[in-house]
Amino acid sequence: DWACSKRLLFGSLLALSSDGFASILWATVAHRSLDLLRAADGPRLDVSLSEAQHRSFQLAQSRGARFQMLESPVFFDATRHTLTALQRISAERLPFSQTLLACAPVPVVEPPKYLSASADADAWEMGGVFPSLPGRGTLHLLQPWPRSLSQGGQGG
């Protein structure tokens, strides 16, 4: 039932394609009308595209193209402003650009001095969160993660 569905909400990110997703037009849900979603000839939706993509979409529609749509499982509108700001930063000035844009391996980074200042500087008391951890629930950030936690367990 579309009235109760959490799908196709305003701001949701959509991928549209008329060629089996060999090419993609990105859009967002602009308006979610229950009347349009319940239309007799199939669900319809108002979407928002960039100006350039809107022209491509209209051209494809004028040629009779039918589009398939995928919806992102992540609510896009919450991160839209951050992603837009990142687009405005030049690649040379973007922090971690080699990792984020070029997918280069993350270089080995030395831990901050405050964690290596003394033997217990990296110790965090986590007994309240992981009561069955050995050593009274102390985790050392610069030591290997306890096996029981790295496998999704709760300690022990």
Side-chain angles (χ1 to χ4, degrees), residues 4-155:
C4 300
S5 176
K6 297 217 182 260
R7 294 182 57 206
L8 300 174
L9 296 175
F10 172 81
S12 293
L13 182 63
L14 307 172
L16 306 172
S17 179
S18 61
D19 58 9
F21 293 94
S23 63
I24 296 173
L25 295 175
W26 295 102
T28 56
V29 174
H31 181 69
R32 181 181 190 262
S33 164
L34 290 178
D35 292 337
L36 287 175
L37 289 169
R38 294 177 177 154
D41 59 342
R44 296 179 182 271
L45 188 66
D46 287 334
V47 299
S48 175
L49 298 126
S50 70
E51 190 173 330
Q53 290 193 329
H54 187 86
R55 283 192 211 109
S56 297
F57 183 75
Q58 286 181 320
L59 182 61
Q61 277 189 318
S62 71
R63 294 179 179 158
R66 295 188 55 96
F67 284 83
Q68 293 176 303
M69 176 179 70
L70 294 175
E71 179 184 20
S72 169
V74 177
F75 185 60
F76 172 69
D77 210 46
T79 59
R80 174 193 309 263
H81 302 293
T82 302
L83 295 174
T84 301
L86 285 172
Q87 286 179 323
R88 293 183 182 138
I89 299 173
S90 68
E92 297 79 30
R93 295 188 60 215
L94 180 67
F96 309 109
S97 64
Q98 287 301 309
T99 304
L100 294 174
L101 302 178
C103 299
V106 178
V108 176
V109 178
E110 294 299 318
K113 291 180 183 177
Y114 68 87
L115 285 179
S116 53
S118 68
D120 285 335
D122 71 331
W124 288 75
E125 300 298 326
M126 299 296 289
V129 178
F130 304 110
S132 57
L133 269 178
R136 297 187 324 215
T138 301
L139 285 177
H140 288 272
L141 299 179
L142 300 180
Q143 295 176 7
W145 198 252
R147 184 187 264 322
S148 58
L149 294 181
S150 63
Q151 295 172 350
Q154 290 289 309

